[in-house]
Amino acid sequence: MLKTIFSLPADLYKNRRLVLKLAKNDFKTRYAGSYMGTVWAFIQPVVTIMVYWFVFSVGFRSGTGDLGVPFVLYLVAGIVPWFFFQDALIGGTNALIEYNYLVKKVVFNISVLPVVKIISALFVHGFFVVFTIILFTCNGWFPDIYYLQIFYYTGCTFLLVLGLCYATCAVVVFFRDLTQIISIGLQVGIWLTPIMWIAENSLKGHEILQKILQFNPMYYIVSGYRDTFIMKNWFFQHPGWTLYFWVFTILCFLFGNWVFRRLRVHFADVL
């Protein structure tokens, strides 16, 4: 088990320059051929945020109750980590298919390919974290020591999606429909996390349902971002929840790594 956990960090450190170079190239070439290039990576999520804000804040006149924060801030604090998770999961799932020419090279360590896609998504996430900080500052919520937790929760998202991607990128080579299944799952997941609504207010009298929703590991991360920007709570103030998340993430990583290693010998033949 320990060998499985520490083998990947060792591979990443050994190939760190190559991984970073591939991630930069992946980010640059994603929108190659379009006039605005990588700008589209930022425009699309911003437009999505504006649409959700208009629908829920203006159309449905949603509020945040006793939180005392504008709905747009509550929305952004929750949706920014979701964008990272979504982009990284989709990209990491298709990593082997997209880089099939590298998979066929015997000397190339293909275990770093999902990491390349996740780091590429991390570049965009960094921009939106800065965007969120500026947005909160403009509304009178100034940076404080709690903002250090951004690194922690970003790391949580990175490791969670990495474990998932090792399984999904291996399976999708043989079962291409998995990409569509994941897309549908993400569409449903954004509503179950929750991001556009406040579970504590909407699920009053339904505590069991709220507890069930908390089994979603992204619920922990989204709540963590809101604890950082709005609630001003530390992650260690939720010891049980934190323990559950890390147990889930480690098991997910071990399972994903096991699936990846079992199927990797057949990748070159299928691709």
Side-chain angles (χ1 to χ4, degrees), residues 185-201:
L186 289 170
Q187 292 177 14
V188 176
I190 195 173
W191 296 101
L192 297 180
T193 301
I195 291 174
M196 263 73 74
W197 52 285
I198 304 175
E200 291 77 6
N201 293 345

Side-chain angles (χ1 to χ4, degrees), residues 199-219:
E200 291 77 6
N201 293 345
S202 302
L203 296 179
K204 284 184 177 179
H206 300 277
E207 286 75 14
I208 296 179
L209 180 57
Q210 185 173 340
K211 292 294 183 182
I212 292 174
L213 291 179
Q214 290 178 356
F215 281 104
N216 174 3
M218 277 306 295
Y219 194 114

Side-chain angles (χ1 to χ4, degrees), residues 20-247:
L20 188 59
K21 183 178 180 180
L22 286 173
K24 289 180 179 178
N25 289 338
D26 181 88
F27 178 70
K28 292 177 182 178
T29 59
R30 191 184 310 181
Y31 300 94
S34 60
Y35 287 108
M36 298 180 66
T38 56
V39 175
W40 286 113
F42 310 111
I43 291 178
Q44 292 175 347
V46 168
V47 171
T48 302
I49 290 172
M50 292 176 63
V51 169
Y52 283 143
W53 168 78
F54 179 81
V55 170
F56 288 96
S57 186
V58 179
F60 290 138
R61 299 185 181 277
S62 300
T64 55
D66 299 331
L67 296 179
V69 60
F71 181 78
V72 66
L73 297 185
Y74 181 85
L75 172 64
V76 170
I79 206 170
V80 163
W82 180 265
F83 281 152
F84 176 35
F85 175 77
Q86 176 179 266
D87 192 19
L89 181 59
I90 293 176
T93 297
N94 295 310
L96 299 183
I97 296 175
E98 186 172 338
Y99 289 101
N100 61 80
Y101 58 93
L102 293 177
V103 175
K104 297 175 182 178
K105 290 187 176 181
V106 179
V107 296
F108 188 82
N109 187 356
I110 61 174
S111 63
V112 304
L113 291 178
V115 183
V116 168
K117 301 298 289 188
I118 298 174
I119 293 177
S120 177
L122 187 60
F123 294 150
V124 180
H125 181 63
F127 165 82
F128 277 103
V129 167
V130 174
F131 170 79
T132 304
I133 293 173
I134 294 174
L135 187 62
F136 270 79
T137 301
C138 291
N139 282 271
W141 294 66
F142 298 100
D144 53 31
I145 193 172
Y146 289 97
Y147 279 31
L148 293 175
Q149 291 188 122
I150 294 173
F151 297 102
Y152 167 74
Y153 285 112
T154 298
C156 289
T157 312
F158 189 99
L159 293 175
L160 172 64
V161 77
L162 180 60
L164 293 172
C165 283
Y166 269 119
T168 58
C169 76
V171 174
V172 79
V173 172
F174 307 92
F175 182 61
R176 301 298 175 94
D177 291 353
L178 181 62
T179 301
Q180 305 304 323
I181 295 173
I182 290 174
S183 296
I184 295 173
L186 289 170
Q187 292 177 14
V188 176
I190 195 173
W191 296 101
L192 297 180
T193 301
I195 291 174
M196 263 73 74
W197 52 285
I198 304 175
E200 291 77 6
N201 293 345
S202 302
L203 296 179
K204 284 184 177 179
H206 300 277
E207 286 75 14
I208 296 179
L209 180 57
Q210 185 173 340
K211 292 294 183 182
I212 292 174
L213 291 179
Q214 290 178 356
F215 281 104
N216 174 3
M218 277 306 295
Y219 194 114
Y220 171 79
I221 293 172
V222 168
S223 297
Y225 271 74
R226 285 173 173 154
D227 278 344
T228 298
F229 286 105
I230 301 172
M231 310 300 184
K232 305 304 179 185
N233 295 321
W234 293 105
F235 71 91
F236 50 77
Q237 292 179 244
H238 310 288
W241 206 1
T242 300
L243 177 62
Y244 163 76
F245 173 83
W246 282 111
V247 169

